[in-house]
Amino acid sequence: MIRQSGSYRQRLFTFLSSRAHVNTNLSLSRIILLMELLSSWIKVKLFHKSPAVSVGVDVQVESLDAISEVDMDFTMTLYLRHYWKDTRLAFKSNNNLSMTFDGRLVKKIWVPDMFFVHSKRSFTHDTTTDNVMLRVYPDGKVLYSLRVTVTSMCSMDLSRFPLDTQTCSLEIESYAYTDDDLMLYWKKGNRSLNTDEKISLSQFLIQEFHTTTKLAFYSSTGWYNRLYINFTLRRHVFFFLLQTYFPATLMVMLSWVSFWIDRRAVPARVPLGITTVLTMSTIITGVNASMPRVSYIKAVDIYLWVSFVFVFLSVIEYAAVNYLSTLQERKERALRERMPCTCGLAHPGTMSASYSEVDANTSGNYDSMPRNGVKRERMLVQLMENDQVTGHVSSSTYSSAAIDTHAIDKYSRVMFPGSYILFNFIYWSIYS
C-alpha cells in the first residue's frame, strides 16, 4: 500500500496561501506553479514508511520478429501489463466502474520503473499516439499497459548447428527498487504469458513458452526480483538439407566417378577432381560467411570438412595411381630393352603406338585397353618364364616390377562409398 498524502498537500497549500498575504514576493502565479508541482507528489512512492509494493505482471506476445545467429539476439513485440494498488488514486463511484486514461496521466502518477535486462534496443510504439493505457478502479487498483518492441541478447550454443535447439529469455526487472521496496511476480503464474497463434518463424519452430521468477543480486545495490519469459526454438533443417548437405553429398559422389575412368585419361580425371574440390571449398565458405566466428566446431563444419576430405582423397588416389602406373611402365620398358627377342610381340614403341590407336578409335571406351595390356603382360611373363634356361631375365624380376594399378581403383570403388555411408550413419545418429 502507498501512503496517502492529500492531507499533507492541503496543509501545505493553506500554509502557502497564508504566506502569500504576508510576503508580497510570493505571488499567486508562483503559488499555482508550486501546486502543480505538488500535484505530482503522487508520482513518488514513500518506501521508507510503507511495505513493499506488490506489482503483478502479465504479457501478451504479439510477434517474434527475428532471430540472429550472427548478432546473438532476438526481437520481440509484446503487450506489457502491470497491476498494483495505489489508494491515493481511489475515488467514489456509484456504479463501481473504472476510468481509463491515455499516456498523459502516466506522467503524473507513480508507475513501476521496469526495464529489460540485456536488451540492446527497445521502444514504446507511438503510432498514431503513444501506445500506453492506464485504467484506475474505484478501490485504487491500477492497470498499466504498454506496447513495446525490444531487441535482447540470446546466448546461443551453435555446436549442433543446424540441428540445434535454442532457448532464449526476455528478462524484466525494476531498475531502482529492490525486493524490499517492490515485489514483482507473475499475476497468474505460467498463465500470465499469452502468445498469438499466428506467431511463426521461417527458420525455427517455436516449441514452448513459459515463465519463471528469480532473484538477481548486485553487489552495490542489493537483491531484485526478476521475471523471465523463456521460449524454446527448434531450427528447421530442411533448408540446410537443400542448400548445404545435399550439394556436399553430390560433390562427394561426383568425385567417385573418377574411379571408373581409365587411369590414362588424365584430361578427364584431373579436372573432375579439381572441380569437386573447388566446389566443396565454395560451399564451406558460403556457410561460414553467414555464421558468427565462434571458436568451436559446429555440426555442419564436421559434415562439410569430412566431405571435403573424401573429395580430396579421391584426387590423391588418382595421383597415386598415375604415379605407380608411370613406375610400372618404366620398369616394363627397361625389361623389354634387356630381352634378346620378343618372339613376335610388337616393339615397345609399336606397343605404345597401339595404345594411342585404341584411344583414338574406341571413342573413349577405355575398358578394352587394360584387357589388351594385361594379355600382353601375361604373354610377356610366360615367354620370360620359358626363357629362364637362357638366363637372360628371371620371372621373379618381372613379377616384382609388375604392379596392378587397376586394383587400386577397384578397391576405391568400394571403400570410398562404404566409408562415406558409414560416416553418414554415425553423423545422423548423433545429431538427429
Side-chain angles (χ1 to χ4, degrees), residues 67-85:
I67 308 291
S68 174
E69 295 86 1
V70 178
D71 298 326
M72 293 283 185
D73 60 22
F74 66 92
T75 301
M76 178 185 291
T77 300
L78 53 93
Y79 296 94
L80 182 62
R81 303 185 183 97
H82 313 73
Y83 302 85
W84 73 95
K85 188 173 183 179

Side-chain angles (χ1 to χ4, degrees), residues 391-409:
H392 290 95
V393 181
S394 65
S395 61
S396 60
T397 303
Y398 185 80
S399 299
S400 63
I403 302 173
D404 190 4
T405 54
H406 295 285
I408 300 178
D409 280 341

Side-chain angles (χ1 to χ4, degrees), residues 73-340:
D73 60 22
F74 66 92
T75 301
M76 178 185 291
T77 300
L78 53 93
Y79 296 94
L80 182 62
R81 303 185 183 97
H82 313 73
Y83 302 85
W84 73 95
K85 188 173 183 179
D86 189 345
T87 56
R88 297 175 298 180
L89 298 177
F91 61 92
K92 294 181 179 180
S93 175
N94 296 329
N95 50 14
N96 200 29
L97 296 178
S98 62
M99 293 189 298
T100 302
F101 306 93
D102 57 18
R104 288 174 293 181
L105 183 62
V106 174
K107 300 177 181 180
K108 297 295 183 179
I109 67 171
W110 178 88
V111 294
D113 59 338
M114 301 301 179
F115 80 103
F116 298 99
V117 186
H118 305 309
S119 65
K120 298 181 179 180
R121 296 174 298 277
S122 62
F123 63 92
T124 302
H125 290 259
D126 55 2
T127 305
T128 56
T129 59
D130 291 341
N131 294 177
V132 177
M133 184 269 289
L134 185 72
R135 181 170 296 167
V136 182
Y137 294 87
D139 58 354
K141 291 182 179 179
V142 182
L143 165 60
Y144 173 48
S145 176
L146 63 161
R147 182 167 174 253
V148 182
T149 293
V150 56
T151 300
S152 183
M153 182 185 70
C154 178
S155 299
M156 301 183 185
D157 180 13
L158 300 175
S159 59
R160 298 178 63 91
F161 176 89
L163 307 169
D164 57 333
T165 299
Q166 302 294 339
T167 299
C168 300
S169 299
L170 182 64
E171 305 171 15
I172 307 172
E173 184 181 307
S174 171
Y175 187 82
Y177 304 127
T178 65
D179 62 336
D180 294 329
D181 300 325
L182 185 68
M183 186 182 70
L184 281 179
Y185 67 97
W186 290 110
K187 183 174 177 60
K188 299 179 181 178
N190 203 38
R191 293 183 300 169
S192 301
L193 179 62
N194 300 308
T195 58
D196 195 328
E197 296 180 355
K198 297 181 180 180
I199 295 179
S200 63
L201 295 171
S202 59
Q203 289 193 26
F204 292 92
L205 172 66
I206 303 176
Q207 290 187 322
E208 181 186 10
F209 272 99
H210 66 279
T211 61
T212 55
T213 305
K214 296 182 181 178
L215 285 175
F217 177 74
Y218 298 91
S219 58
S220 57
T221 54
W223 293 89
Y224 294 80
N225 292 111
R226 182 177 296 181
L227 306 181
Y228 292 81
I229 302 174
N230 305 307
F231 54 95
T232 304
L233 306 172
R234 183 174 180 82
R235 195 182 306 273
H236 294 302
V237 72
F238 187 72
F239 171 81
F240 298 95
L241 288 176
L242 292 180
Q243 299 295 324
T244 304
Y245 287 94
F246 189 62
T249 303
L250 286 182
M251 287 301 104
V252 175
M253 296 175 65
L254 183 61
S255 67
W256 299 339
V257 176
S258 63
F259 303 148
W260 276 266
I261 301 177
D262 188 79
R263 67 182 187 277
R264 300 179 187 276
V266 177
R269 294 189 68 164
V270 172
L272 179 61
I274 294 176
T275 301
T276 52
V277 169
L278 293 179
T279 304
M280 283 302 306
S281 300
T282 303
I283 295 175
I284 294 174
T285 303
V287 171
N288 291 329
S290 60
M291 296 298 299
R293 298 178 180 179
V294 295
S295 58
Y296 49 84
I297 298 177
K298 302 182 290 293
V300 68
D301 294 333
I302 297 176
Y303 193 90
L304 291 179
W305 279 106
V306 171
S307 300
F308 182 85
V309 169
F310 271 90
V311 171
F312 184 75
L313 287 179
S314 67
V315 179
I316 298 300
E317 186 270 348
Y318 176 64
V321 168
N322 187 271
Y323 176 73
L324 294 176
S325 299
T326 303
L327 289 181
Q328 179 179 345
E329 291 176 358
R330 290 177 181 176
K331 292 180 180 180
E332 290 177 1
R333 190 178 301 111
L335 290 173
R336 291 191 186 98
E337 291 175 354
R338 294 169 57 186
M339 291 179 61

Side-chain angles (χ1 to χ4, degrees), residues 412-432:
S412 298
R413 295 170 190 173
V414 178
M415 293 178 60
F416 273 73
S419 300
Y420 196 67
I421 291 174
L422 178 62
F423 161 70
N424 273 272
F425 178 78
I426 297 175
Y427 179 88
W428 294 108
S429 298
I430 294 176
Y431 290 104
S432 61

